[in-house]
C-alpha cells in the first residue's frame, strides 16, 4: 500500500526520499517492530476492535516474517521506514486486510516503543559486560594485594599504594557506571504504545495488555510525552559516555605506565603495534584507539542533546535523527568494554620497578609527618613544615631517603621550631618504608592488603547479587 497515494499528488524526489529515510538504522529495530505489531494486533482482536480471523492472518504473516528475517523485506528508500516495510510485507502476503493492523496505532508511538524495546536489550548486554569486567579486575586485584605501586596526584609522586588498590579504583568507578545504567533502564522500560500519533485514540484499546505482552514495567501516562520524549536516550547515552570516559582513563594510564620512563607495566603483544620505520617500537595502539573512542560518545551525547533542545511538542521528525547516534554510542561502548576486558588482564606489572618508584622521591613523606604528630603530639601543620623542609634539605644536599636519620631530622627541626625531635631511628625507617606505609592504611577504602581484601569481598557480593538478578 502506498502511504502517499491519498493526500499527496505524486512521488517524493529520489534525493528527498533517501534524505528522509530511516531505513538504514531502522534495521536495528526490526525484531521489536514485528513483536510490537503482533502484540498490538493481538490486543485489537481481544478487544474486538478488529475481526479475529483477520487478526490471525496478520499475526501468522508477522510470525512468518519473524522466521524469514529482515531479508524478506524490500528495503529501498521509497519505503520511508521499517514500519512501512513491515506493513508492506504483510500486505504482500494477505492483501488489503493488512491495513487493519494499523488501527489505533501511529508510527510515532511505534518508533518510540521499538527503540525502548531494543535499548532495554542493549542495556542488559552492556550491564553484563560491565559486571564481567569488574570480575576480571577483582581477580587481578586478588593477585596484586601485595604488589607495591606508586600513586600519583598531579601526575607527581604522591604516596605508595598497591596495584590492587589502584585496580579497585577502576572497579568502583565501573560499579557506579553499572548502577547508573541500571537506573536509566527504569526509564527506558516504559511503554508509549497506545499513544498513537499524540492523543491516543477513540478505539477502546487496552494499553495494559500490550504493556504486559511486550514486557514493559510501566505505561507512559501522557501520550504527548510518550511520542515526543527521548530523554531516555539522552540519559542512557550519558551513562555510556561516562563509562567510556572512565575506560579512557584506564587506557591513558596503561599508555603512560608502559613508557620507558615509567616502565611499570608491559602491555600484551596482542594489544600492541609496531612502527613501519622504527624497528624497536612497541606501541599501545589499542589503548590509544579506545582512549579516542570515548570522544565519539561525548560527541554523540552533545548531538542528541542539541537535537532535543527547544523542540516543540509533540512528535517532530527531528527525533529520527537521534536514533543513529544512539546506536553508534551503544556500539562504541560495547566495543570499548570488550577490548578493555582483554587488554587489562593481559598486562604484566613490573613489580621491581614499581617498588623502586614507590620508595624514591620521598613518596613516604606523609607518613613521616603523621609519625611526628603521633609521637610528638605536634600539630600536623608543624610536622608538615618540618618534613617539607627536610625533603628540600635532602634534595639540595643529595641525601637519599634511606640516609635520613634522627640527626638529619633534628637539624631541620632545630631550624624550624628551635628544638630537636629526638625521634627513634627505627620509627623513622618504618615511616619511610613504602610497605609499612601501605600496611598501616587499614581504614575502609585504604591500601592495606587487609582493607583491599574486604573491599574485594564487598565487590564480590555486589557481583553475586547483580548476576543473580
Ligand atoms: N522514522 C521515524 C522515526 O524514526 C518514524 C516515525 C514517524 N514518522 C512520521 N512521519 N511521523 O522517528
Amino acid at each position: 500500500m502506498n502511504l502517499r497515494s491519498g493526500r499527496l499528488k505524486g512521488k517524493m524526489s529520489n534525493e528527498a526520499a533517501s534524505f528522509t529515510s530511516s531505513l538504514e538504522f531502522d534495521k536495528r529495530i526490526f525484531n521489536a517492530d514485528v513483536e510490537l505489531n503482533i502484540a498490538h494486533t493481538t490486543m485489537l482482536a481481544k478487544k474486538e476492535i478488529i475481526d479475529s480471523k483477520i487478526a490471525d492472518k496478520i499475526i501468522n504473516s508477522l510470525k512468518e516474517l519473524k522466521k524469514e528475517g529482515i531479508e524478506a523485506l524490500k528495503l529501498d528508500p521509497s519505503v520511508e521506514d521499517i514500519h512501512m516495510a513491515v506493513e508492506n510485507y504483510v500486505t504482500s502476503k494477505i492483501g488489503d486486510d493488512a491495513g487493519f493492523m494499523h488501527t489505533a496505532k501511529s508510527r510515532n508511538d511505534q518508533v518510540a516503543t521499538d527503540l525502548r524495546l531494543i535499548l532495554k536489550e542493549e542495556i542488559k548486554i552492556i550491564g553484563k559486560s560491565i559486571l564481567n569486567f569488574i570480575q576480571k579486575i577483582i581477580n587481578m586485584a586478588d593477585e596484586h594485594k601485595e604488589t607495591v605501586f606508586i600513586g600519583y596526584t598531579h601526575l607527581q609522586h604522591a604516596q605508595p599504594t598497591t596495584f590492587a588498590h589502584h585496580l579497585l579504583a577502576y572497579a568502583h568507578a565501573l560499579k557506579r557506571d553499572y548502577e547508573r545504567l541500571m537506573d536509566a533502564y527504569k526509564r527506558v522500560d516504559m511503554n508509549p504504545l497506545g499513544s498513537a500519533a499524540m492523543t491516543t485514540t477513540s478505539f477502546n484499546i487496552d494499553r495494559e495488555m500490550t504493556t504486559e505482552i511486550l514486557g514493559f514495567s510501566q505505561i507512559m501516562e501522557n501520550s504527548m510525552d510518550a511520542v515526543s520524549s527521548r530523554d531516555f536516550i539522552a540519559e542512557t547515552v550519558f551513562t555510556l559516555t561516562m563509562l567510556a570516559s572512565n575506560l579512557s582513563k584506564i587506557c591513558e594510564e596503561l599508555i603512560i605506565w608502559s613508557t620507558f620512563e615509567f616502565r611499570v607495566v608491559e602491555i600484551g603483544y596482542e594489544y600492541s603495534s609496531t612502527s613501519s620505520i622504527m624497528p624497536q617500537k612497541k606501541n599501545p595502539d589499542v589503548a590509544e584507539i579506545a582512549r579516542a573512542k570515548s570522544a565519539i560518545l561525548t560527541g554523540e551525547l552533545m548531538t542528541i542533546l542539541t537535537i532535543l533542545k527547544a523542540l516543540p511538542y509533540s512528535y517532530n521528525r527531528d527525533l529520527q535523527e537521534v536514533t543513529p547516534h544512539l546506536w553508534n554510542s551503544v556500539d562504541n561502548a560495547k566495543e570499548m568494554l570488550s577490548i578493555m576486558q582483554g587488554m587489562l588482564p593481559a598486562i604484566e606489572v613490573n613489580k621491581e620497578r614499581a617498588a623502586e618508584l614507590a620508595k624514591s622521591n620521598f613518596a613516604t613523606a606523609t607518613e613521616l609527618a603523621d609519625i611526628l604528630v603521633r609521637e610528638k603530639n605536634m600539630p600536623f601543620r608543624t610536622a608538615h613544615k618540618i618534613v617539607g623542609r627536610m625533603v628540600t634539605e635532602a634534595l639540595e644536599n643529595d641525601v637519599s631517603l634511606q640516609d635520613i636519620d634522627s640527626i638529619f631530622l633534628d637539624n631541620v627541626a632545630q631550624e624550624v621550631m628551635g628544638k630537636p625531635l629526638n625521634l627513634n631511628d627505627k620509627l623513622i625507617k618504618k615511616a619511610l618504608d613504602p610497605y609499612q606505609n601501605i600496611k598501616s592504611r587499614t581504614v575502609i577504602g585504604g591500601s592495606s592488603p587487609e582493607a583491599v581484601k574486604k573491599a574485594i569481598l564487598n565487590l564480590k557480593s555486589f557481583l553475586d547479587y547483580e548476576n543473580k538478578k
Side-chain angles (χ1 to χ4, degrees), residues 220-231:
M220 294 195 76
E221 287 198 62
N222 179 285
S223 58
M224 289 181 69
D225 173 49
V227 296
S228 61
S229 63
R230 294 291 185 272
D231 50 325

Side-chain angles (χ1 to χ4, degrees), residues 2 4 10-23 74 76-80 317:
N2 181 358
R4 303 169 59 85
K11 280 172 50 179
M12 206 180 216
S13 81
N14 288 341
E15 193 186 6
S18 72
F19 187 71
T20 53
S21 173
S22 56
L23 263 187
K74 191 177 134 280
D76 69 62
S78 68
V79 188
E80 258 183 55
R317 194 70 181 273

Side-chain angles (χ1 to χ4, degrees), residues 75-346:
L75 297 176
D76 69 62
S78 68
V79 188
E80 258 183 55
D81 50 36
I82 200 83
H83 320 294
M84 289 322 300
V86 169
E87 194 176 315
N88 290 347
Y89 171 92
V90 180
T91 309
S92 76
K93 300 288 168 186
I94 67 167
D96 284 350
D97 278 350
F100 280 105
M101 70 192 248
H102 209 65
T103 315
K105 175 165 74 69
S106 155
R107 287 181 296 170
N108 297 353
D109 58 344
Q110 220 174 312
V111 70
T113 309
D114 289 348
L115 290 173
R116 286 168 182 275
L117 283 171
I118 300 298
L119 188 52
K120 278 173 63 179
E121 295 310 313
E122 295 286 15
I123 289 178
K124 283 190 223 156
I125 294 169
I126 296 172
K128 278 266 169 278
S129 181
I130 299 176
L131 294 180
N132 284 340
F133 193 22
I134 296 175
Q135 181 65 59
K136 287 183 180 162
I137 293 173
I138 292 178
N139 295 346
M140 288 175 80
D142 227 1
E143 310 232 304
H144 284 288
K145 290 197 291 288
E146 305 277 341
T147 306
V148 176
F149 213 67
I150 178 69
Y152 296 83
T153 63
H154 311 267
L155 204 54
Q156 302 281 339
H157 272 207
Q159 294 174 337
T161 182
T162 65
F163 191 54
H165 188 234
H166 199 117
L167 285 168
L168 290 194
Y170 298 166
H172 280 279
L174 287 165
K175 176 173 179 269
R176 285 192 303 280
D177 287 328
Y178 173 83
E179 287 165 345
R180 255 191 298 270
L181 191 59
M182 291 307 125
D183 202 64
Y185 181 92
K186 291 182 214 153
R187 285 169 293 280
V188 178
D189 190 16
M190 297 171 86
N191 186 16
L193 190 63
S195 300
M198 62 167 283
T199 60
T200 71
T201 171
S202 55
F203 288 103
N204 183 29
I205 58 171
D206 185 343
R207 292 193 63 199
E208 267 151 5
M209 191 188 299
T210 50
T211 298
E212 205 188 312
I213 300 175
L214 293 173
F216 281 107
S217 298
Q218 283 183 65
I219 295 186
M220 294 195 76
E221 287 198 62
N222 179 285
S223 58
M224 289 181 69
D225 173 49
V227 296
S228 61
S229 63
R230 294 291 185 272
D231 50 325
F232 71 98
I233 293 182
E235 187 183 1
T236 303
V237 173
F238 168 73
T239 69
L240 298 180
T241 305
M242 199 61 246
L243 164 71
S245 170
N246 282 329
L247 295 177
S248 78
K249 290 169 72 169
I250 302 177
C251 293
E252 171 72 0
E253 297 209 310
L254 295 185
I255 292 164
I256 294 175
W257 289 344
S258 62
T259 58
F260 180 76
E261 287 72 13
F262 279 73
R263 246 176 301 133
V264 285
V265 147
E266 193 69 40
I267 295 179
Y269 288 116
E270 61 275 49
Y271 298 98
S272 305
S273 303
T274 188
S275 153
S276 60
I277 178 168
M278 299 168 282
Q280 85 284 11
K281 295 281 274 170
K282 179 174 171 232
N283 293 330
D285 293 34
V286 177
E288 291 171 302
I289 295 286
R291 179 175 62 179
K293 277 190 190 290
S294 83
I296 296 175
L297 279 109
T298 310
E300 298 298 39
L301 177 62
M302 289 310 120
T303 304
I304 291 167
L305 289 171
T306 312
I307 294 172
L308 297 182
K309 182 186 171 294
L311 273 185
Y313 278 87
S314 56
Y315 179 84
N316 297 279
R317 194 70 181 273
D318 308 49
L319 295 177
Q320 176 176 300
E321 281 302 308
V322 169
T323 309
H325 302 287
L326 166 65
W327 302 137
N328 200 31
S329 306
V330 164
D331 291 344
N332 276 288
K334 278 161 98 175
E335 272 181 42
M336 277 179 83
L337 258 177
S338 164
I339 201 89
M340 300 286 304
Q341 286 187 50
M343 181 166 59
L344 187 63

Side-chain angles (χ1 to χ4, degrees), residues 392-407:
T392 307
E393 290 282 326
L395 288 172
E396 281 172 1
N397 297 295
D398 230 0
V399 175
S400 81
L401 194 66
Q402 287 73 333
D403 298 330
I404 305 276
D405 57 11
S406 67
I407 301 172

